[in-house]
Amino acid sequence: MTDQASKTAPAAKKLFIKTYGCQMNVYDSQRMAEAMSAEGYELTEDQAQADMVLLNTCHIREKAAEKLYSDLGRLKPFKAEKPDLKIGVAGCVAQAEGEEIIRRMPLVDLVVGPQTYHRLPEMLRGEAPKILTEFPEEDKFDHLPQRRATRRAPAAFLTVQEGCDKFCAFCVVPYTRGAEVSRPVDRILREARDLVERGVREITLLGQNVNGWHGAGEDGREWGFGRLIRALGEIEGLDRIRYTTSHPNDMADDLIAAHRDVPQLMPYLHLPVQSGSDRILKAMNRKHTATQYLHLIDRIREARPDIMLTSDFIVGFPGETDQDHADTLRLIEEVGFGTAFSFKYSPRPGTPAYERAEIDSAVADARLQELQALLSRQQKAAQESMIGRTLGVLFEKPGRIDGQMIGKSDYLHSVFVHAPDARAGDLVPVRIVESAPNSLRGELAA
Ligand code: 5AD
Ligand code: SF4
């Protein structure tokens, strides 16, 4: 080594993270990247360059979980060529399968569950076990380095609540993410202010049951989620607030009222109903009926008439009949969703529904197709209803065409706009002129 070289800092090690699944995993991946940057790792987009590969996994459906093993298989030749390459598995498959992962795939160096990833640096240094999936007493957020004071993209996620106590019969989340925990008000407000100082104008509050959030407020009173949103609405420079995912049974009056009162709260609500059949909702342990959901939607629309609603649906749940399916289609017709996610039921080990007899797979496929066709028609109608309207669009990045910017409308549609002088972070009025399959086109409003 020359004198010259010995004086320069060692080249940063490279970390490649692949994120599967929900937005909370996206947030967790960012936080893990920050924890690792304190250890001298910087992010790379190129897996071949990486000194460490971290797969942040999802366990919600079988397909998502199996993806991990096929990706680990693909990493084998890289590890063979570069034995120092560290391979870590994080997230919900790590939580659910633990050492089974290393048994199946010995190339994996460490397995870390969603509640323990603050210990990732220790694990890497060999100062902690290579499998950590307990639910510790301490809050991982207290142990994570503060987000680095770099500028951020204009839209950011902020986790306020984790875990779920609802135990829907099909769902692994209560087991992989554990019991419901709300982060304290002061941390949330501090993190939000910090994000805004770094250029963030839109925050999406995250939680598996985000509207179940509660905590001791700054005034010493118990706050619900609606009150938290009001407090966030007072942060100067925070122009947009969103949240996901919500449970219908936690839509408190004050939260509904916040949709009327807080102008920064965007007119968009993801409120999964899963099914429109009371029989199936009961079997799913959802603890509400279709009528109660519809009534709730009426109240939300009363508070915010232009709100766009989205949902999740599970098709082919054990015991689902043609009549149950028809009830779901009818509920969709009645609500009119802006868009929705729909999934074929996937039996998950450890959940109550796992033992129940599955319905014919071809029947479930056909129902899923029918349901998705209806939802696409609704999505198209919702997008077309935007044509001619002037909406706020927050630009996030340049488009592929010269002079073009891509941003999100108030209703979370992607909007392409010719705006050669605009920059990411600009929030401007845009007149919508055209609807494409998954986006809108608009023109800068004078
Ligand atoms: N099979 C199919 N879909 C599921 N979801 C959760 N568990 C399952 C399962 N076992 C869907 C639900 C939930 C979304 C995140 O994933 O619709 O709202
Ligand atoms: Fe899963 Fe139901 Fe909890 Fe949502 S509310 S995370 S679907 S158990």
Side-chain angles (χ1 to χ4, degrees):
M1 204 189 285
T2 66
D3 242 344
Q4 191 63 37
S6 65
K7 273 184 206 143
T8 54
K13 284 184 270 178
K14 299 261 191 290
L15 170 67
F16 176 84
I17 304 185
K18 178 167 175 181
T19 307
Y20 311 64
C22 66
Q23 288 144 325
M24 191 167 292
N25 268 9
V26 174
Y27 177 86
D28 286 350
S29 289
Q30 282 173 359
R31 301 300 305 259
M32 284 192 278
E34 286 163 8
M36 294 292 289
S37 86
E39 298 292 303
Y41 280 87
E42 69 184 30
L43 277 181
T44 174
E45 309 251 294
D46 179 6
Q47 185 229 288
Q49 298 290 319
D51 301 288
M52 174 163 188
V53 173
L54 194 56
L55 304 173
N56 193 10
T57 59
C58 171
H59 200 241
I60 197 96
R61 286 168 291 275
E62 192 181 356
K63 257 195 208 144
E66 277 307 312
K67 188 101 191 31
L68 167 67
Y69 291 102
S70 60
D71 283 350
L72 285 173
R74 265 196 290 277
L75 284 173
K76 274 185 192 159
F78 290 94
K79 181 101 173 183
E81 205 172 286
K82 193 180 194 179
D84 285 348
L85 176 68
K86 293 260 184 271
I87 297 178
V89 175
C92 293
V93 182
Q95 188 64 41
E97 297 185 5
E99 52 191 70
E100 168 74 9
I101 296 171
I102 296 190
R103 212 184 47 71
R104 254 177 94 172
M105 289 286 175
L107 83 170
V108 172
D109 297 287
L110 54 93
V111 174
V112 59
Q115 302 312 327
T116 28
Y117 62 65
H118 56 295
R119 298 187 63 190
L120 200 51
E122 254 177 279
M123 296 170 82
L124 257 185
R125 295 193 297 262
E127 293 162 11
K130 58 191 230 173
I131 303 171
L132 276 182
T133 54
E134 80 273 33
F135 289 99
E137 286 292 308
E138 80 248 27
D139 177 355
K140 68 182 171 210
F141 293 111
D142 286 347
H143 293 264
L144 280 168
Q146 273 289 310
R147 288 159 171 256
R148 283 165 298 160
T150 46
R151 276 199 80 75
R152 291 282 305 251
F157 294 131
L158 199 174
T159 292
V160 302
Q161 179 279 336
E162 256 187 286
C164 182
D165 299 335
K166 298 274 191 293
F167 292 93
C168 297
F170 49 81
C171 187
V172 291
V173 166
Y175 313 98
T176 55
R177 291 277 175 170
E180 286 183 20
V181 178
S182 296
R183 289 180 72 196
V185 174
D186 57 335
R187 309 279 165 71
I188 295 169
L189 294 179
R190 200 198 307 150
E191 190 167 331
R193 287 193 200 100
D194 176 59
L195 287 168
V196 170
E197 269 168 31
R198 288 154 54 194
V200 169
R201 303 185 70 173
E202 169 175 319
I203 290 180
T204 301
L205 305 171
L206 297 181
Q208 267 92 29
N209 244 309
V210 72
N211 56 340
W213 178 93
H214 58 93
E218 291 175 314
D219 51 8
R221 294 223 190 119
E222 177 74 1
W223 284 13
F225 190 57
R227 183 67 188 82
L228 179 68
I229 287 177
R230 286 171 202 271
L232 288 162
E234 278 159 26
I235 297 179
E236 189 84 32
L238 179 55
D239 298 303
R240 286 175 154 188
I241 302 168
R242 306 180 186 278
Y243 61 90
T244 198
T245 283
S246 313
H247 194 287
N249 292 355
D250 285 328
M251 283 307 294
D253 294 346
D254 185 46
L255 176 56
I256 296 176
H259 278 280
R260 180 193 61 213
D261 302 335
V262 180
Q264 297 93 326
L265 186 56
M266 289 291 103
Y268 178 100
L269 176 61
H270 183 61
L271 195 61
V273 63
Q274 313 294 356
S275 168
S277 150
D278 287 344
R279 236 174 45 83
I280 294 298
L281 287 169
K282 192 158 200 303
M284 286 177 166
N285 193 33
R286 291 288 295 179
K287 300 196 180 90
H288 61 76
T289 63
T291 310
Q292 282 166 338
Y293 182 82
L294 291 171
H295 182 62
L296 178 60
I297 298 295
D298 285 344
R299 288 174 51 225
I300 295 166
R301 281 188 166 145
E302 222 169 276
R304 183 76 206 230
D306 66 332
I307 201 160
M308 194 172 105
L309 292 156
T310 73
S311 176
D312 294 338
F313 292 94
I314 294 180
V315 172
F317 190 73
E320 188 188 74
T321 63
D322 283 337
Q323 183 57 51
D324 296 320
H325 176 60
D327 288 348
T328 301
L329 296 178
R330 205 187 53 223
L331 177 137
I332 295 172
E333 295 277 13
E334 267 182 53
V335 175
F337 289 99
T339 181
F341 302 98
S342 46
F343 312 98
K344 185 176 169 181
Y345 169 68
S346 167
R348 307 304 290 129
T351 61
Y354 185 63
E355 304 296 332
R356 300 181 199 164
E358 284 177 60
I359 73 157
D360 185 281
S361 177
V363 170
D365 286 332
R367 286 181 189 160
L368 184 63
Q369 266 198 11
E370 191 183 7
L371 184 134
Q372 287 182 338
L374 171 58
L375 288 167
S376 333
R377 287 198 296 278
Q378 292 196 340
Q379 179 178 333
K380 190 160 180 278
Q383 287 190 200
E384 283 170 356
S385 75
M386 301 291 161
I387 296 174
R389 290 183 60 185
T390 297
L391 309 174
V393 172
L394 177 61
F395 288 141
E396 292 183 356
K397 57 183 182 204
R400 245 180 276 157
I401 300 169
D402 212 25
Q404 187 186 57
M405 290 298 285
I406 308 175
K408 292 273 163 57
S409 80
D410 301 341
Y411 302 93
L412 208 55
H413 289 122
S414 288
V415 186
F416 291 77
V417 186
H418 180 72
D421 299 326
R423 290 186 311 176
D426 290 353
L427 177 56
V428 295
V430 168
R431 204 169 57 83
I432 305 302
V433 294
E434 198 184 317
S435 169
N438 277 305
S439 63
L440 300 171
R441 197 169 64 75
E443 290 166 355
L444 291 174

